[in-house]
Amino acid sequence: PIDDADAFRPSPLDDALLAAFRWTLRRQSGVEPSDLPGFDGMVRELLDYRRTHGVEEQERVSRMTMVALGGPVPFVYKPLFSPSESSPAVLAWFAKHLLPFLVGDMTLTERSETDARSGGVLVDRCRVLEGSGCKGVCARMCKIPTETFFKEKWGVPLSMSPNFETGQCQLAFGVEPTPIEDDPSIPQGCLTRCPAASFGDESSAC
């Protein structure tokens, strides 16, 4: 177990971004609001929505939430900056400073062990994965829609490689993602700690 001293400590900006994200997610999904406050309430809402909707709807709602929050910025960025060789590094820098409210602390890295170019960012301990314990939320409501969002709206491919043992996730901007069915980072079936495992149909749940 990771000591609580290492847990993410949100700033006032993180709290404001989380509130905006949670409000937008509710509007896009129509999910019943949880009585739990803050991040725990958002995780509960994600789990409730995932449990009652198919994977296509899960991916669509997450993607539309990102589109709504992004506003006009991606539409300006894509034609002007996405062709630049420095674009992956720029997006990694902004991800490190703007996304901790959702995934926790992040560290700038190279894109991969075999690609020394800048443009990578490592999620040290993913809050969503840790809070939900659910592979389905990770893959269908975070990884796939986020990869699609950056490729389609920002004009920059993104590969996300979660580690379900450590809770880390390596993001690599400028790298095409592996199709989900061939992605070695995604295990088969539900995680042992996943709430959906108790429903009996793991393949459907995850």
Side-chain angles (χ1 to χ4, degrees), residues 51-66:
R51 188 165 55 241
T52 55
H53 293 77
V55 294
E56 291 184 0
E57 279 298 299
Q58 294 171 36
E59 293 172 16
R60 184 192 65 80
V61 160
S62 294
R63 188 168 60 252
M64 293 308 297
T65 299
M66 296 175 202

Side-chain angles (χ1 to χ4, degrees), residues 17-175:
L17 290 171
L18 176 62
F21 183 89
R22 188 176 178 186
W23 180 83
T24 306
L25 178 65
R26 285 175 178 174
R27 284 180 60 86
Q28 294 294 330
S29 66
V31 68
E32 186 72 21
S34 169
D35 292 333
L36 295 173
F39 188 83
D40 290 340
M42 185 204 69
V43 169
R44 173 50 54 192
E45 289 161 4
L46 286 174
L47 288 169
D48 288 346
Y49 188 83
R50 186 206 53 76
R51 188 165 55 241
T52 55
H53 293 77
V55 294
E56 291 184 0
E57 279 298 299
Q58 294 171 36
E59 293 172 16
R60 184 192 65 80
V61 160
S62 294
R63 188 168 60 252
M64 293 308 297
T65 299
M66 296 175 202
V67 169
L69 287 170
V73 179
F75 299 99
V76 175
Y77 187 95
K78 183 175 181 179
L80 295 179
F81 303 108
S82 64
S84 170
E85 291 185 2
S86 63
S87 185
V90 170
L91 290 177
W93 187 90
F94 277 105
K96 178 188 185 305
H97 291 89
L98 292 178
L99 295 184
F101 81 93
L102 194 58
V103 298
D105 292 319
M106 307 172 80
T107 304
L108 291 175
T109 67
E110 299 173 347
R111 297 188 197 184
S112 72
E113 293 180 356
T114 58
D115 187 343
R117 293 176 296 174
S118 57
V121 60
L122 179 69
V123 178
D124 299 329
R125 176 182 172 186
C126 181
R127 299 180 75 199
V128 174
L129 179 56
E130 185 176 75
S132 68
C134 180
K135 184 193 79 177
V137 167
C138 172
R140 299 296 180 176
M141 301 195 76
C142 181
K143 173 180 163 61
I144 295 176
T146 304
E147 291 173 341
T148 301
F149 174 60
F150 275 96
K151 178 65 178 292
E152 293 183 353
K153 302 302 182 183
W154 293 82
V156 179
L158 168 65
S159 174
M160 299 176 65
S161 302
N163 185 317
F164 292 91
E165 295 297 324
T166 66
Q168 294 180 325
C169 183
Q170 178 68 55
L171 280 66
F173 290 94
V175 177

